[in-house]
Amino acid sequence: MVSGMIAPPPGAPRAGEPSARVADADLIERSLVDPEAFAVLFDRYAAMLYRYVSRRLGPEGAEDIVGETFLAAFSGRERYDLARRDARPWLFGIVTKLVARHHRSEAARYRALRRSPVDGPEEGPADRVAAGVTVTAARPLLAEALAGLPRRDRDVLLLVAWGDLRYEEVATALGIPVGTVRSRLNRARRKVRAVLGDTDPMREEA
Amino acid sequence: MDDLDLLRGLGRDLEHEPPGSLARQRARLLEAAHGRTRAPCGPVRRPRGPVRWPRRPGRWTLFGAVAAVTAALILVPAVLLGGGGVKPPVIPSSNPFAARTGPLNVLVVGSDRRAATASDGAEEARSDTLLLVHLPADRKSAHAVSFPRDLLVQIPSCQGRDGKPVPSRRGQINAAYSLGGHSCARKTIEALTGVRVDTTVVVEFAGFRTMVDALGGVPITLPTPVDDQATGLRLPAGRHLVQGTQALAYVRLRHGIGDGSDLSRVERQQRFMASMLRRAKETRLRNPARFARFLSAAAGSVATYPRLDVAALKALADSMGGTDPGAVRFGTVPVVPAPDDPARVVWDREKAMDLFTQLREGG
């Protein structure tokens, strides 16, 4: 008996067909006449953005911020530059603006991390354990460094380190030149290294 | 292990997996997509009429802006000057339009190259905007419905631009104008909607700039400064009287204004239209000489079919004297993805018929 004609639910990730995937920009263009097409972008990126926001602000407000991000993206979709095939930088740009509204609680979160245990998952995959030792030792220092960074520098640093964006993508996300991305990233990393104990004066002034 | 690796490790530790309740946010998005959510913020609120128009416009190109400005209020009177100079109408008209007081449906074709006024001779003209404007009998408002240019429709048999017959075919709605000019566009719209088109107006792109200049500029308000490389527009925040070139840049602007939650480009265009309409109305009352220049500029950018005579258009213009620019409503034909080609759209028959029935029968 043949029963294989049931389609997966719309938007469900389907393994093995990445090449058949419609570009984000095409989805956005389609959403101009068929607004529901925008939901496919949600299915693609909501989880990723949730994880990112949960890192910066914790899980409490992350859900709302992800929801607001997509609403803002939806209402601004006519402005989207369709030459940008990948919508991630655009979405991260919106997320960054929304996270910025909570910069005080973000800084407080990092400050709290200087003293308290990590409030994340209690156990991770085995391959994390080795690195975990160093990270655990460095965590209070890293948190202190993050708490002390100016917001703009922190945005750039975390879009690179936690958002996995390339420099050009960070530039797109924040609407700033790539050179500015580099200089903010360098400045932020210098401060992080300084807190970690790397006080090489050459680097300091580089 | 460098500082970035350490940071990545910290990030993984801090990360939380999305909960199942994240689906609520997806539902929120879909609600917005269906237009059931609150209207976008901003002082411009279109009044709700008896007709339920789609709340969120779907696709408004620059031509949409030009065409709507044109059709909704301004160019209809503007056309009364034809291609010539400013002449006061003196001869009473025998044209049925002159006495017409009922509802009026105007098809506006925004073309990137205007068909020659006399002979309809431009061969490469494409219609980038198709807009059906309905003026109810009381002329207190105007309703504009845009047709997405990739809407798949049955194009009826038409006379081609070369004079030869073109058989009926299925195609994108904007192909009708390319194939058979304004008459084919009109025939296609009439066949699709069942709405009788009284007048077809073909608008030229470049005329927009000229019209703004002729009005002496149009006021806009910028919430934030604009410095846009793509269009070359640089303005501080605040209120400005923009001239033609700046106005064109402003309505085309895609980047550098506000953030993701601010007014969309479409809303900006519609605001601009409303501002332009207001300006035109003021000018008409306060500066007749300037208004005449404006009309003349506008008239050079449009052609009407059938050709309306001066008295008919003057009468129409007068009848629209009481129309409030804020009472112009905009909408888009409801569409769904085409079953055989998801990259294109077909109309949502039921919802669309609802809309057009109101155009056919509405006062």
Side-chain angles (χ1 to χ4, degrees), chain A residues 10 29-30 32-36 38-39 42-43 46-47 50-51 54-55 59 63-64 66-68 70-72 74-81 84 97 101 109-110 113 118-121 128 131 134-135 138-139 142-143 146 157-158 160-162 164 189 192-193 196, chain B residues 1-19 21-30 32-34 37-38 56-60 148 150 253-255 257-268 332-333 335-337 342-343 345:
Chain A
E29 186 173 29
R30 193 186 298 168
L32 294 174
V33 287
D34 171 23
E36 282 186 39
F38 210 81
F42 185 95
D43 297 332
Y50 180 91
R51 292 191 189 97
S54 76
R55 289 174 176 207
E63 189 179 316
D64 263 346
V66 170
E68 280 166 32
F70 279 95
L71 287 180
F74 180 77
S75 75
R77 69 197 192 285
E78 289 97 350
R79 281 205 304 273
Y80 186 78
D81 178 357
R84 293 178 173 146
K97 285 196 180 104
R101 294 181 188 166
R109 172 175 160 82
Y110 298 137
L113 283 173
V118 173
D119 62 347
R128 244 191 243 172
T134 332
V135 170
R139 195 171 62 210
L142 287 169
L146 286 180
L157 178 66
L158 295 184
V160 171
W162 291 354
D164 286 326
R189 290 187 66 181
V192 171
R193 282 194 296 261
L196 288 174
Chain B
M1 180 171 266
D2 72 359
D3 50 315
L4 277 183
D5 291 326
L6 286 171
L7 263 178
R8 289 195 184 98
L10 175 67
R12 279 193 295 270
D13 281 350
L14 296 179
E15 183 175 294
H16 287 254
E17 276 302 299
S21 55
L22 193 59
R24 279 205 302 261
Q25 304 301 327
R26 189 182 198 273
R28 234 173 126 193
L29 174 67
L30 280 173
H34 288 133
T37 187
R38 69 211 189 292
R56 306 273 319 174
R59 171 182 294 188
W60 282 83
D150 53 356
L253 210 57
R254 281 186 175 277
H255 309 287
I257 184 163
D259 64 16
S261 59
D262 269 339
L263 289 175
S264 71
R265 182 168 180 244
V266 169
E267 287 154 14
R268 180 150 34 87
T332 304
V333 176
V335 293
V336 292
V345 292

Side-chain angles (χ1 to χ4, degrees), chain B residues 2 17 36 44 59 68 88 99 107 120-121 140 146-147 184 188 204 223 238 266 285 297 310 335 341-342 358:
Chain B
D2 72 359
E17 276 302 299
R36 284 200 297 265
V44 171
R59 171 182 294 188
L107 175 65
D120 185 25
K140 289 225 181 319
S146 72
F147 295 79
C184 193
T188 304
E204 185 191 16
V266 169
L285 294 174
V310 167
V335 293
D341 181 358
Q358 288 164 345

